[in-house]
Amino acid sequence: MTLNYKAQNQFPRHLQQVRPPQPLQASTKAVHGGATRSQFSELSEALFLTQSYVYESAEAAESRFNSKNPGYVYSRISNPTTKMFEDRIALLEGAESARATATGMASVTAALMGQVRAGDHIVSAKTLFGSCRYVLEDLLPRFGVEVTFVDGGDLGQWRKAFRQNTKTCFLESPANPTLEIYDIAEIASICHEHGATLVVDNAFVSPILQSPLELGADCVVYSATKHIDGQGRCLGGVILSSEEFMRKHVHDFLRHTGPSISPFNSWLLLKGLETLPLRVNAQQASALQISNFLSDQEMVTRVIYPNHKDHPQYELVQKQMKGGGTVVCFEVSGGKSSAFRFANALSIIKISNNFGDAKSIITLPSITTHQRLSPELRAEMGIPDGLLRLSVGLEDVNDLINDLRNALRALS
Ligand SMILES: *Cc1c(COP(=O)(O)O)cnc(C)c1O
């Protein structure tokens, strides 16, 4: 892993890029990566709440605008705090380029829309976060882009779906909320054989547990709202790719349509990255313990956790992920009404719809994140009405297990 210092030249002279020794481990990158200091030499990264920038002269403004002299011109396009966040996550992801957006959905939309025009075709895994499904199923077809949905785990279906005009492909792995795992390296190579790119939504695991670019994907998108903030404070998104992909497909789209992130939110996310490896590893260790606890309970009819031997893609998990992640899905006997009773009986674990948070969260996807989908489509995606999604937080794992045990007692 080498640091990319090209970005340094884009900073005004008084902002100096920190140059730590290399190569670096993830937790060191998470703390120091991308940091720049102003003339005040602050230790903690500065928050630049500014829309625009001042030029020393008209000549300086001219050269800044015609890109002869690099630097900031307007915060819809770039901002020093946002740039620090982008450089830090690019370093963690091993990407040449990163661009932050206001939300995860803005990143998904830009990464896909930036690549296609009317008459083009996209192939996507069918099990998706509800809003990702909307972009592919409803929005893009309105502009003449055709989308074919496949069972993401069936490589034969991927191969069959390609056409002459297929430009890009999309998947989430692990998929939300079924925790199905798709073979990113194989799917990327199928895409490339057909001259198409692959965009991977990596929100469920974060750059700490899975590196889709290393596996062959062309672009990674995040809802930074999830693990990257990790403390329930703000929305955010990131697109990561090669410089070439970003320049060709994303740069102009973001610059001119303006789904820009607030510098304040960039600052929260930048500081969130400092603890990301610690948080994700701790939450993942608790999630594994909780999945084992749940598997032993009589009232629990099914547990889905990628790092369990009985997960259908256990071997693939070992190949492409560093652990099973921070989310455990399960069903209790008695279906939806039992699931409601169980969720209502929890006390430490909150009913909400985020994940990757320091606070443990229980979600019923069928009535929240995937409520918009028809019952038939939910059945096809493998989302029963009583499915529970538990995002394991940073509380003491024994307190969480006790909370779950108590809520299970409420069922019998
Ligand atoms: C939450 C989520 C998104 C959308 O992110 P927002 O920040 O809420 O816009 C996209 N994809 C996945 C997999 C998600 O979980």
Side-chain angles (χ1 to χ4, degrees), residues 233-245:
R233 302 167 296 192
C234 71
L235 302 172
V238 202
I239 306 171
L240 297 121
S241 69
S242 66
E243 299 265 14
E244 190 199 351
F245 184 99

Side-chain angles (χ1 to χ4, degrees), residues 153-230:
D154 184 340
L155 295 176
Q157 284 194 25
W158 282 101
R159 280 196 194 92
K160 249 192 265 155
F162 282 87
R163 301 184 196 159
Q164 212 98 54
N165 56 345
T166 307
K167 285 286 152 58
T168 188
C169 298
F170 184 75
L171 63 87
E172 294 168 16
S173 182
N176 179 7
T178 57
L179 305 184
E180 280 169 79
I181 311 294
Y182 305 139
D183 192 330
I184 296 173
E186 281 295 326
I187 295 167
S189 94
I190 297 169
C191 290
H192 297 156
E193 273 165 36
H194 292 85
T197 62
L198 176 64
V199 178
V200 174
D201 184 332
N202 207 32
F204 248 72
V205 275
S206 91
I208 306 306
L209 300 182
Q210 182 168 269
S211 305
L213 296 177
E214 261 173 42
L215 294 166
D218 302 277
C219 177
V220 173
V221 289
Y222 284 105
S223 168
T225 314
K226 313 290 165 52
H227 296 90
I228 294 171
D229 174 42

Side-chain angles (χ1 to χ4, degrees), residues 272-290:
L273 285 179
E274 292 186 352
T275 55
L276 181 71
L278 262 183
R279 285 185 286 107
V280 166
N281 285 320
Q283 288 170 235
Q284 167 169 270
S286 296
L288 178 60
Q289 227 177 307
I290 286 173

Side-chain angles (χ1 to χ4, degrees), residues 30-31 33 45 47 81-82 84-86 88-89 92 99-104 107 222-238 260-277 279 354:
V31 172
E45 296 77 358
L47 170 49
T81 306
T82 299
M84 284 191 266
F85 169 54
E86 291 168 342
R88 184 167 292 177
I89 187 146
L92 276 173
R99 293 300 303 274
T101 60
T103 66
S107 282
Y222 284 105
S223 168
T225 314
K226 313 290 165 52
H227 296 90
I228 294 171
D229 174 42
Q231 288 160 84
R233 302 167 296 192
C234 71
L235 302 172
V238 202
S260 319
I261 188 168
S262 152
F264 183 78
N265 291 352
S266 291
W267 182 79
L268 289 174
L269 297 171
L270 173 68
K271 301 305 277 181
L273 285 179
E274 292 186 352
T275 55
L276 181 71
R279 285 185 286 107
N354 198 5

Side-chain angles (χ1 to χ4, degrees), residues 287-303:
L288 178 60
Q289 227 177 307
I290 286 173
S291 69
N292 287 331
F293 163 79
L294 289 170
S295 301
D296 290 339
Q297 305 308 304
E298 214 173 296
M299 296 300 287
V300 176
T301 54
R302 178 175 168 224
V303 178

Side-chain angles (χ1 to χ4, degrees), residues 46-102:
L47 170 49
F48 291 91
L49 281 179
T50 185
Q51 298 163 340
S52 9
Y53 304 85
V54 175
Y55 316 103
E56 281 161 26
S57 62
E59 290 79 6
E62 183 182 39
S63 69
R64 198 69 73 75
F65 267 80
N66 65 21
S67 301
K68 285 207 177 110
N69 189 4
Y72 296 99
V73 296
Y74 193 48
S75 287
R76 168 156 37 78
I77 299 157
S78 54
N79 169 281
T81 306
T82 299
K83 184 77 171 72
M84 284 191 266
F85 169 54
E86 291 168 342
D87 286 350
R88 184 167 292 177
I89 187 146
L91 201 58
L92 276 173
E93 192 74 42
E96 280 178 8
S97 185
R99 293 300 303 274
T101 60

